[in-house]
Amino acid sequence: MRASDYYQLDELLTEHEKECQAKVRQFMEKEVAPIIRQYWETAEFPFHLIPKLGSLGFAGGIIKGHDCPGLSATAYAMCISEVARVDASMASFCLVQSCLAMLTIAQLGTEAQKDKYLPSLSKLHKVCAYALTEPDYGSDASSLNTVATKVPGGWVLNGRKRWPGNSSFADVFVVLARNTSTNQINGFIVNGGSPGLKISKIENKVSMRIVQNCDILLEDTFVPDDDRLPGANSFQDLVNALSFGRVMVAWIGIGIAVGVYDACRRYLLERKQFGVPLAAFQLNQEKLVRMLGNIQAMSLLGWRLCKLHDAGKMTIGQASLGKAWITKQARETVAVGRELLGGNGIVTDFHVGKAFCDMETVYTYDGSYEINALIVAREITGISSIRPSSRL
């Protein structure tokens, strides 16, 4: 039994889900853990790991067909949480690839588009990015300003995007833009290197430093009709992929918390003060138990969300509650872990300091705690308070 699986929640997994989990854990511990700290410190991406990640066979996640693995939501959750246990930036790379960009193409694209793009993306022969957020529209993403104008043979895109992960080296971009004729949000596939597509890396981050977040400028970027996603005709059409993404963000939070718990337990047993292991002190024991209890609760809720998703029963609110509550608990768990390491909790040498910084991003992205809470409240009360009744 793994130290963090105190209630033996692994018994809820199928044999295939356990195999997926074990395969990814072995890879992350052997190939990634020994080297990842130096990439975090220099804010560089370990490109040599991409083919190795692709060989594990979980890219594409729950997508069926088109050379994608067609995993259960639980199986993919096990994979991405094991990645996050070692490094949250690499988990975010997987999230953007499989749960946002690829899933949007799979759900809203034509068969020709799926055949063209998904096979190479699922093998990680190509990398994709998802461009929704803008400099002036974060939580209010549905008000985005990037526009798409119909022209003979296709569309011309103009506008700015901010924060898309993977975008400094992406081969394919899923870009959301406002149709100037309908005023509705449409989806487009933009190929890297397209004329008018300009990308600049966001520097000076203190969290998720390995993730290559960028500012994107679209200046008269032409997209042929064949690369317009016909199923993306309003913001509501994007919700299914976004909701699944939130479930997987919750599992990234769980993975981070498990990694911190494992590191803290090992540290408390090994390090001595006043002649005894730190694990012998009552205050430290209470904190370790608090972390462990949080992990059990988070994991059980995350597992249930996966089951609801695969049964077609998960609501938008349920996904949002899972993301909001789990990342809030994970944030607390990681903060307690940082306390346990004292001064060693603010350096990257012991893993916890890096995870502490990365958890801040996970708490915020794919909908902040507050926005997700309001989505849940709208579902349970029938009253939306997301937009103020008057503009101030």
Side-chain angles (χ1 to χ4, degrees):
M1 182 180 74
R2 292 180 293 118
S4 61
D5 190 19
Y6 193 63
Y7 280 178
Q8 301 175 43
L9 300 180
D10 276 358
E11 293 183 1
L12 298 174
L13 305 179
T14 66
E15 287 305 313
H16 179 252
E17 289 162 355
K18 292 177 185 178
E19 290 169 7
C20 291
Q21 182 185 48
K23 181 168 60 174
V24 176
R25 175 170 284 215
Q26 181 181 27
F27 168 77
M28 293 301 296
E29 290 185 343
K30 181 181 178 181
E31 301 281 347
V32 182
I35 65 167
I36 202 65
R37 180 171 55 122
Q38 68 191 62
Y39 287 94
W40 194 92
E41 290 174 348
T42 58
E44 297 175 352
F45 193 92
F47 294 105
H48 70 282
L49 292 177
I50 294 178
K52 296 179 180 180
L53 276 172
S55 69
L56 294 175
F58 71 94
I62 63 172
I63 301 170
K64 293 180 172 63
H66 310 283
D67 291 343
C68 294
L71 300 175
S72 68
T74 308
Y76 190 76
M78 294 304 101
C79 293
I80 202 167
S81 62
E82 287 297 335
V83 176
R85 176 178 169 268
V86 172
D87 185 71
S89 293
M90 296 303 295
S92 283
F93 167 82
C94 298
L95 175 84
V96 171
Q97 182 86 3
S98 298
C99 305
L100 294 176
M102 286 182 68
L103 191 56
T104 298
I105 294 172
Q107 291 180 343
L108 306 177
T110 64
E111 288 301 311
Q113 289 169 339
K114 297 174 195 178
D115 288 338
K116 179 180 179 181
Y117 291 106
L118 293 181
S120 59
L121 293 171
S122 70
K123 296 180 180 67
L124 292 183
H125 293 166
K126 291 187 176 181
V127 172
C128 50
Y130 184 83
L132 171 61
T133 302
E134 298 183 358
D136 295 327
Y137 296 97
S139 294
D140 191 14
S142 62
S143 297
L144 60 84
N145 266 342
T146 299
V147 295
T149 304
K150 189 71 180 77
V151 296
W155 301 77
V156 171
L157 273 55
N158 283 282
R160 295 183 298 162
K161 297 292 181 181
R162 185 166 174 82
W163 294 116
N166 307 347
S167 49
S168 68
F169 57 95
D171 304 288
V172 178
F173 296 77
V174 172
V175 178
L176 290 311
R178 190 172 303 281
N179 186 323
T180 55
S181 297
T182 65
N183 205 37
Q184 293 293 320
I185 294 173
N186 292 176
F188 302 88
I189 300 171
V190 178
N191 286 285
S194 294
L197 178 65
K198 300 177 181 178
I199 298 168
S200 56
K201 180 182 173 182
I202 297 173
E203 303 285 359
N204 307 319
K205 295 188 302 172
V206 298
S207 178
M208 292 277 189
R209 289 176 54 78
I210 294 172
V211 175
Q212 303 299 292
N213 299 103
C214 296
D215 286 309
I216 296 176
L217 178 64
L218 296 142
E219 288 186 320
D220 293 331
T221 302
F222 178 77
V223 178
D225 283 326
D226 288 347
D227 284 335
R228 154 89 162 87
L229 292 168
N233 297 302
S234 70
F235 189 80
Q236 195 63 31
D237 295 327
L238 310 175
V239 165
N240 284 338
L242 292 173
S243 293
F244 181 73
R246 284 171 176 157
V247 175
M248 292 303 118
V249 170
W251 274 102
I252 290 175
I254 294 169
I256 295 172
V258 169
V260 169
Y261 173 82
D262 289 344
C264 288
R265 180 176 175 272
R266 182 171 58 250
Y267 182 88
L268 294 181
L269 289 169
E270 293 174 354
R271 182 171 170 82
K272 291 184 178 181
Q273 292 290 292
F274 304 101
V276 297
L278 288 174
F281 293 92
Q282 290 181 353
L283 290 175
N284 291 343
Q285 289 188 356
E286 186 280 329
K287 289 180 179 178
L288 203 61
V289 170
R290 197 189 325 163
M291 295 168 70
L292 182 62
N294 283 348
I295 289 168
Q296 308 315 297
M298 291 187 293
S299 299
L300 192 56
L301 177 54
W303 174 83
R304 180 58 182 156
L305 273 174
C306 290
K307 292 299 182 183
L308 287 170
H309 175 274
D310 284 352
K313 296 178 180 179
M314 187 184 77
T315 68
I316 297 168
Q318 288 170 338
S320 289
L321 178 58
K323 193 277 176 182
W325 188 84
I326 288 174
T327 58
K328 180 176 180 292
Q329 296 306 113
R331 189 190 195 201
E332 175 191 302
T333 302
V334 172
V336 172
R338 199 226 58 78
E339 292 174 14
L340 283 171
L341 264 68
N344 285 333
I346 65 166
V347 293
T348 59
D349 307 53
F350 296 86
H351 174 72
V352 174
K354 177 173 77 70
F356 176 80
C357 292
D358 288 345
M359 188 62 227
E360 289 302 296
T361 296
V362 178
Y363 180 67
T364 299
Y365 71 3
D366 273 66
S368 66
Y369 175 86
E370 292 78 10
I371 288 295
N372 277 299
L374 294 180
I375 291 172
V376 180
R378 179 180 63 193
E379 191 167 279
I380 64 176
T381 67
I383 302 170
S384 176
S385 61
I386 293 176
R387 293 183 183 275
S389 57
S390 62
R391 299 289 181 180
L392 301 178

